[in-house]
Amino acid sequence: MFAGDISIAKGVQHIIFVQKKLKTLGINSELHLFGRVKHDFLKNNLDGLGIYFHGQVRKDVLKKYYSKSDLFIFPTYTEGSALVIYEAMAAGIPIITTEESGSIVRDKINGYICKPDDERKMFILAKKLVQNKSLRIKMGINSRKIYLKEMNVSYPEQVMKIYLNILN
């Protein structure tokens, strides 16, 4: 699963590469992408690959997909602090992301952190998670635990606190 702008800046081309490789190996997987399509060419030549573009959806629909997903992948090149990472962690999903996501993901604890353009590593890690249910469950549980520990103050309150500290 991915949520965010469907763009090269968010690394969607890399997620598509990962899904193509999984399908090439005969691994039964689907990729669900949510968000505004900024680069239409990313949707080209994807028939039969199990890739679904849902566009922008209501929060309750997104929440339903978070609860059904086995993996959240967000290989962004640029981000401040991606809310979607926090949402996925709240749902108890393992994460593959980048340092640039500004997230609270702990490498090898509740997911993996890669360089934004390292498709090969993303594929290896996604394959590892797809094929290892106990690892997925363990990392998902860790995502939820980390989220609950780190988010004892709401996300908007944390952002406001940071701004107030800067302004003072």
Side-chain angles (χ1 to χ4, degrees), residues 15-156:
I15 304 167
I16 291 169
F17 169 84
V18 168
Q19 175 63 8
K20 285 179 179 179
K21 292 279 285 179
L22 291 171
K23 284 299 209 182
T24 300
L25 290 177
I27 295 172
N28 184 21
S29 62
E30 294 180 350
L31 172 59
H32 294 269
L33 299 111
F34 297 86
R36 180 175 53 121
V37 178
K38 290 183 80 176
H39 298 120
D40 281 322
F41 67 87
L42 291 168
K43 296 172 72 174
N44 294 343
N45 305 315
L46 302 177
D47 292 341
L49 293 174
I51 299 174
Y52 305 94
F53 292 86
H54 298 277
Q56 292 181 296
V57 298
R58 295 184 326 269
K59 282 285 184 192
D60 62 318
V61 173
L62 196 57
K63 188 176 179 180
K64 182 179 110 182
Y65 275 89
Y66 277 125
S67 70
K68 294 184 342 181
S69 293
D70 291 322
L71 170 63
F72 188 83
I73 187 164
F74 192 74
T76 186
Y77 283 85
T78 59
E79 199 67 38
S81 183
L83 179 60
V84 293
I85 296 285
Y86 296 89
E87 291 171 347
M89 288 177 66
I93 306 171
I95 313 287
I96 295 176
T97 191
T98 62
E99 293 273 341
E100 289 76 6
S101 71
S103 73
I104 58 174
V105 172
R106 305 290 183 262
D107 193 42
K108 299 179 185 85
I109 305 295
N110 70 312
Y112 298 102
I113 298 174
C114 304
K115 299 272 186 227
D117 60 348
D118 195 346
E119 289 179 338
R120 187 177 184 292
K121 184 175 181 183
M122 283 178 226
F123 163 70
I124 290 167
L125 295 171
K127 180 180 167 207
K128 179 178 182 177
L129 284 166
V130 166
Q131 293 181 325
N132 188 335
K133 185 176 181 178
S134 63
L135 179 62
R136 264 195 334 267
I137 290 169
K138 179 182 169 190
M139 285 189 158
I141 290 168
N142 289 342
S143 272
R144 180 77 177 149
K145 284 179 181 175
I146 292 167
Y147 172 82
L148 290 172
K149 182 180 177 200
E150 297 290 328
M151 298 304 291
N152 56 8
V153 177
S154 75
Y155 183 81

